[in-house]
Amino acid sequence: MLATKLALVRRLALGSSLLLAFACGSDPGTDDTSDGGAPGTGGAGTGGNAGGNPAIGGGGGTGGAGDLPSPYSACYPFDQPQTRELRAAPKKVLAFYYPMFPISIDNADPSMDFWNRWMDPAGGNGEYGSIGGLMRDRPLPRAPWDDEAWRQRDFETEIRRAIAVGLDGFIYEHPDHVAQDPRNNQLPTMLDAAAAVDPDFKIMLSPDFPGGEGASTDGLVETIGNAASHPSVYRLDDGRIPLASFAPQRQPVSFWIEVRDRLAAEKGVDVTFWPFLAPTPPNDTVYEEWNDLVDTYSSWGGRTVGAAEQQRLWSLEAHSRDRGWMSPVAFEDVRHKIGNTPDEGRWYAEASNSGALRAQFEKAIEGEADAVALLTWTDYTESWMNVSQERGYAIPDLVAYYTVWLKTGEQPPVVRDSLYYFHRNQHTDAPYDTGMQTEGPMELKHSGPAENQVELLAFLTEPGELVITQGDDVQTMDAPAGMTSFRAPLVAGTTPSFELRREGAVVRQLTSNTAIRSTVDYQDMMYHAGGGLDCERPD
């Protein structure tokens, strides 16, 4: 049965005219932030320009007839265009894939696998006992594969899920050398997985590099040269391969010019750069030394509502230089881990429930960004957006909505009522057990004050009454048709439930999978999430 389902979903991704019959049922049981307002609430919102930087390639793609909605639409409150139609749009949406955290590390039973060791404070002989685990979330667990090619099969699963969201590809980080950790040596496997699932789902190269002064370009030239001929590598329409490295300013521009020139001379490979430069307010001189090297600018960005406006301004600046802009979008940044520097671990930024993601996407649309980079898809120790154990499909579903908005220039009309929730499992000031969490408290950084709210994000086909219930606390709101964010103060000692009512009757109801605790053993500052429509998802 599993093999049959996999083959069916693969046929869909490869552009068969087959329409999968989804079963759709009821919902299952440094930056200042704004004042907590909810971007995108109700109304039509602003649309983006359907045009864009003509240098950005990757068009075409698979899918069925353009006048029919995608069969993935049953999972969403809106009708998603066919994959072919989304791929043909000039604007691109790519997810940054961090290879250290794939679906499985060791192909073991999830109850005792390496992910379990990371998340269990007692795992690994108590290695993370002082902080309550390395992270608080993980990819959706799976049973072990009886297959030596399990790493590629896992990549294929993640690619099918990404296609269902509407993504054009992954930005895949890889080292410039053979690493001791096998997770860092899987670029060929990822490329083969993309080719097996959908030849038009592309992998943009994000090569890591030596950071020391006077470092050699040899490794980069060899690694990129070896991968360049693979058909799944992302190329622009003119054949150039964009390189999207993180913080490339750690080496001078001359280093990257040498990489470009050596690849052309020694490997016959033409490259350009889509660099994730360090966040900074834009002006006409910032990073001007990169102008002649860069095709499309980008930034690692912030993780708050307030950070979104800077990305819109950067889009305007990049376009004034006749360059493209790939706008960063993230859900949050929360780091329970211990870091080597004060900024690497033990802090969180206030994301305002789903507010940061929505604000950043909407500013990308308003600023007519040429592409969006989701930062990141899989770094579960900092910022992740992929389907996961603690959030389900809530964040990918929201990404799918904004992807259609960005690519078509029109906010998708809601055709199916759907409810999602976003909230922490504790108040940010809730006491914790100092005898267990001995590393001290999590610190709030790079944002405004902490917000302790429960959010109901509702997609309504027509006006209705929204209800958030936390024990004896009941909050209501009359909401218009469209997307509405309704927030209420978090109430400890309860498990929130949510309703959509019309004319006094309950139309939709949803109970959170996450209880809100009054006291905790270990702090958990991530936003938990859930909700959506019952449907058959790609696996």
Side-chain angles (χ1 to χ4, degrees), residues 119-141:
M119 295 183 66
D120 183 354
N125 296 319
E127 181 180 3
Y128 302 108
S130 66
I131 57 175
L134 182 63
M135 67 274 287
R136 302 292 186 267
D137 198 8
R138 64 177 291 171
L140 282 181

Side-chain angles (χ1 to χ4, degrees), residues 23-44:
C24 180
S26 60
D27 289 329
T30 24
D31 294 311
D32 295 327
T33 61
S34 70
D35 61 1
T41 302

Side-chain angles (χ1 to χ4, degrees), residues 97-140 150-151 158 181-184 335-338 346 378-382 384 389-390 522-523 526:
Y97 192 101
Y98 187 53
M100 299 303 287
F101 301 120
I103 290 176
S104 179
I105 308 299
D106 48 9
N107 197 35
D109 187 311
S111 66
M112 59 186 69
D113 67 358
F114 214 96
W115 277 102
N116 186 270
R117 169 181 171 178
W118 277 335
M119 295 183 66
D120 183 354
N125 296 319
E127 181 180 3
Y128 302 108
S130 66
I131 57 175
L134 182 63
M135 67 274 287
R136 302 292 186 267
D137 198 8
R138 64 177 291 171
L140 282 181
W150 58 269
R151 286 189 174 91
E158 300 207 76
D181 191 321
R183 290 172 294 170
N184 265 332
R335 309 181 184 200
H336 297 95
K337 62 184 178 180
I338 300 172
R346 309 300 297 155
T378 54
D379 188 351
Y380 292 83
T381 63
E382 296 184 7
W384 64 104
Q389 177 175 275
E390 299 300 320
Y522 296 96
Q523 290 178 299
M526 68 167 273

Side-chain angles (χ1 to χ4, degrees), residues 71-203:
Y72 302 121
S73 294
C75 296
Y76 304 131
F78 57 95
D79 279 342
Q80 183 188 55
Q82 287 279 350
T83 301
R84 175 182 295 166
E85 186 177 347
L86 289 175
R87 294 260 178 85
K91 297 177 185 291
K92 304 303 173 187
V93 180
L94 302 146
F96 193 96
Y97 192 101
Y98 187 53
M100 299 303 287
F101 301 120
I103 290 176
S104 179
I105 308 299
D106 48 9
N107 197 35
D109 187 311
S111 66
M112 59 186 69
D113 67 358
F114 214 96
W115 277 102
N116 186 270
R117 169 181 171 178
W118 277 335
M119 295 183 66
D120 183 354
N125 296 319
E127 181 180 3
Y128 302 108
S130 66
I131 57 175
L134 182 63
M135 67 274 287
R136 302 292 186 267
D137 198 8
R138 64 177 291 171
L140 282 181
R142 61 153 176 82
W145 292 113
D146 185 16
D147 187 340
E148 292 183 357
W150 58 269
R151 286 189 174 91
Q152 179 168 326
R153 293 185 67 176
D154 280 347
F155 284 155
E156 290 177 7
T157 295
E158 300 207 76
I159 289 167
R160 282 190 291 271
R161 289 171 176 167
I163 291 170
V165 173
L167 304 188
D168 296 284
F170 289 147
I171 303 170
Y172 189 85
E173 185 177 72
H174 58 93
D176 70 331
H177 58 277
V178 176
Q180 291 184 337
D181 191 321
R183 290 172 294 170
N184 265 332
N185 299 324
Q186 300 304 317
L187 174 59
T189 309
M190 174 60 86
L191 291 169
D192 288 346
V197 172
D198 182 347
D200 290 310
F201 185 90
K202 299 302 183 181
I203 307 301

